[in-house]
């Protein structure tokens, strides 16, 4: 299972206005957290494999949404609304590393920068 959480500890209180002042640029920090059954000999191995699968999928999104010859981006099929996706270093933890999770898990920070046109 993989869950996505907003990382409130790193959220910006006030979005930046663009040059024309009509739209806001929002940096949305997220945490991806994944759980998997534990391996017998190496309990964190399944979580590590899952984390690398998730990282590969994120890199695929970045590659597919990269600027084309016209320098336009199309992340997540949203046109130029999403400006950037930054993928942080993931970390795998054993069961109960956070005193709550009874199986191995991983955390990956991801920041999505997008333009809020409703501003």
């Amino acid at each position: 299972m993989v869950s996505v959480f907003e990382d409130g500890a790193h959220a910006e209180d006030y979005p930046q206005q663009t040059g024309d002042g009509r739209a806001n640029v929002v940096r949305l920090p997220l945490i991806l957290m994944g759980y998997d059954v534990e391996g017998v000999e190496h309990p964190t191995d399944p979580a590590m494999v899952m984390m690398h699968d998730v990282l590969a999928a994120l890199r695929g999104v970045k590659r597919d949404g990269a600027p084309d010859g016209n320098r336009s981006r199309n992340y997540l099929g949203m046109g130029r609304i999403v400006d950037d996706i930054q993928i942080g270093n993931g970390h795998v933890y054993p069961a109960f590393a956070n005193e709550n999770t009874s199986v191995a898990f991983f955390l990956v920070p991801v920041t999505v920068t997008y333009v809020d046109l409703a501003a």
Side-chain angles (χ1 to χ4, degrees):
M1 176 181 82
V2 176
S3 298
V4 180
F5 300 94
E6 185 174 351
D7 184 4
H10 295 100
E12 296 177 358
D13 290 334
Y14 301 101
Q16 302 170 6
Q17 282 199 349
T18 58
D20 61 10
R22 293 185 304 171
N24 289 326
V25 176
V26 179
R27 290 177 42 85
L28 180 63
L30 304 170
I31 298 287
L32 305 183
M33 184 174 194
Y35 308 87
D36 204 346
V37 296
E38 292 191 341
V40 176
E41 283 189 52
H42 305 283
T44 59
D45 282 359
M48 177 69 79
V49 170
M50 178 186 267
M51 180 182 74
H52 284 285
D53 288 344
V54 168
L55 289 171
L58 287 170
R59 285 191 296 273
V61 167
K62 284 195 69 147
R63 182 180 52 252
D64 293 344
D68 59 17
N70 297 326
R71 305 298 302 159
S72 62
R73 297 181 188 276
N74 190 18
Y75 291 129
L76 307 173
M78 299 177 67
R80 295 186 316 178
I81 301 297
V82 177
D83 184 58
D84 192 20
I85 299 172
Q86 295 174 328
I87 305 167
N89 293 326
H91 299 281
V92 177
Y93 300 92
F96 297 108
N98 64 358
E99 299 180 8
N100 295 315
T101 308
S102 62
V103 295
F105 64 98
F106 70 84
L107 300 174
V108 175
V110 174
T111 300
V112 176
T113 303
Y114 66 94
V115 178
D116 180 5
L117 297 175

